[in-house]
């Protein structure tokens, strides 16, 4: 946790996992999934606020949800970062670099780069990665719209649908929630709601 090199590498992986639909990074296993005799206590006690600060240093205001978990396999303690998917791919806002022992800087990721997972590696995104991210977002929105449509279609007979336009008075900006009270029924005696 105190190594700038390790943080740059893991931040690259966290962003790549988030851009690729989420995932889990497990510490304390070898490449075959066998437990190592490695102490992962320092990783298990990483403060989530510290993790958020380290991420935001490189990705700006984008938010990636990362949970630090303690696991066990074959009696060995493991640590894991559970990374949630993001809706919009995260682009690095700052170079991720560290100095080698010889004082030579090594760049792990550069400003403007979008990383994705390709097999077992975190690599700069391709046009195909961006296309897939857009398709995934469109599919998610389509499912949300269909759920809303299903709710309307399955409404009891005699139900009415009232639409409050965000362009009318009472809304502070297009697409925002209303700031003033209004009635959702035609009965003038009905209480106004927000």
């Amino acid at each position: 946790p105190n190594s700038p090199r390790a943080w740059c590498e893991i931040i690259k992986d966290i962003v790549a996992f988030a851009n690729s639909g989420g995932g889990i990074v497990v510490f304390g296993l070898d490449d075959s999934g066998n437990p190592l005799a490695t102490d992962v206590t320092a990783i298990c006690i990483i403060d989530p606020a510290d993790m958020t600060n380290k991420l935001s240093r490189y990705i700006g205001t984008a938010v990636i949800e990362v949970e630090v978990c303690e696991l066990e396999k074959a009696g060995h303690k493991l640590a894991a970062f559970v990374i949630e998917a993001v809706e919009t791919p995260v682009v690095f806002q700052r170079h991720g670099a560290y100095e080698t022992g010889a004082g030579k800087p090594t760049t792990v990721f550069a400003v403007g780069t979008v990383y994705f997972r390709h097999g077992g590696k975190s690599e700069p995104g391709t046009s195909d990665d961006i296309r897939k991210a857009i398709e995934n977002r469109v599919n998610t929105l389509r499912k949300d719209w269909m759920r809303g449509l299903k709710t309307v279609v399955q409404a009891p007979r005699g139900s009415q649908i009232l639409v409050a336009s965000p362009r009318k008075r009472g809304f502070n900006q297009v697409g925002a929630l209303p700031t003033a009270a209004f009635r959702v029924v035609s009965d003038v005696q009905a209480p106004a709601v927000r």
Side-chain angles (χ1 to χ4, degrees):
N2 297 322
S3 164
R5 175 186 176 272
W7 271 112
C8 282
E9 294 291 346
I10 198 65
I11 285 170
K12 177 181 73 175
D13 290 336
I14 289 170
V15 170
F17 272 107
N19 287 343
S20 300
I24 302 173
V25 177
V26 180
F27 300 88
L29 297 176
D30 65 17
D31 291 340
S32 300
N34 299 313
L36 299 168
T38 304
D39 183 14
V40 295
T41 304
I43 297 170
C44 291
I45 60 171
I46 289 175
D47 183 1
D50 188 37
M51 172 87 70
T52 300
N53 291 338
K54 287 184 186 304
L55 278 167
S56 58
R57 178 177 179 202
Y58 297 104
I59 64 173
T61 59
V63 177
I64 298 176
E65 298 291 330
V66 180
E67 181 182 355
V68 181
C69 298
E70 188 176 316
L71 307 171
E72 185 180 315
K73 183 174 184 181
H76 292 274
K77 183 176 175 180
L78 307 173
F81 292 167
V82 179
I83 304 152
E84 294 294 322
V86 291
E87 290 181 351
T88 305
V90 174
V91 180
F92 282 107
Q93 304 295 309
R94 188 172 177 188
H95 288 291
Y98 63 91
E99 286 190 18
T100 61
K104 180 183 173 192
T106 300
T107 300
V108 177
F109 50 83
V111 172
T113 310
V114 181
Y115 275 81
F116 288 88
R117 291 296 289 181
H118 296 147
K121 297 180 180 179
S122 297
E123 300 176 327
T126 63
S127 296
D128 196 42
D129 291 320
I130 300 296
R131 180 190 52 75
K132 287 177 186 175
I134 292 169
E135 285 176 359
N136 288 341
R137 182 66 180 132
V138 168
N139 286 336
T140 299
L141 288 172
R142 185 177 291 128
K143 287 177 185 174
D144 289 345
W145 293 336
M146 292 308 292
R147 268 193 297 277
L149 184 59
K150 186 176 180 180
T151 300
V152 170
V153 169
Q154 294 177 343
R157 178 166 282 211
S159 297
Q160 292 182 352
I161 305 298
L162 300 174
V163 178
S165 172
R167 299 192 195 291
K168 292 188 177 176
R169 188 176 68 78
F171 286 80
N172 56 10
Q173 59 182 320
V174 173
L177 295 174
T179 57
F182 64 96
R183 287 184 176 73
V184 293
V185 295
S186 56
D187 180 1
V188 293
Q189 302 299 318
V193 295
R194 291 196 184 276

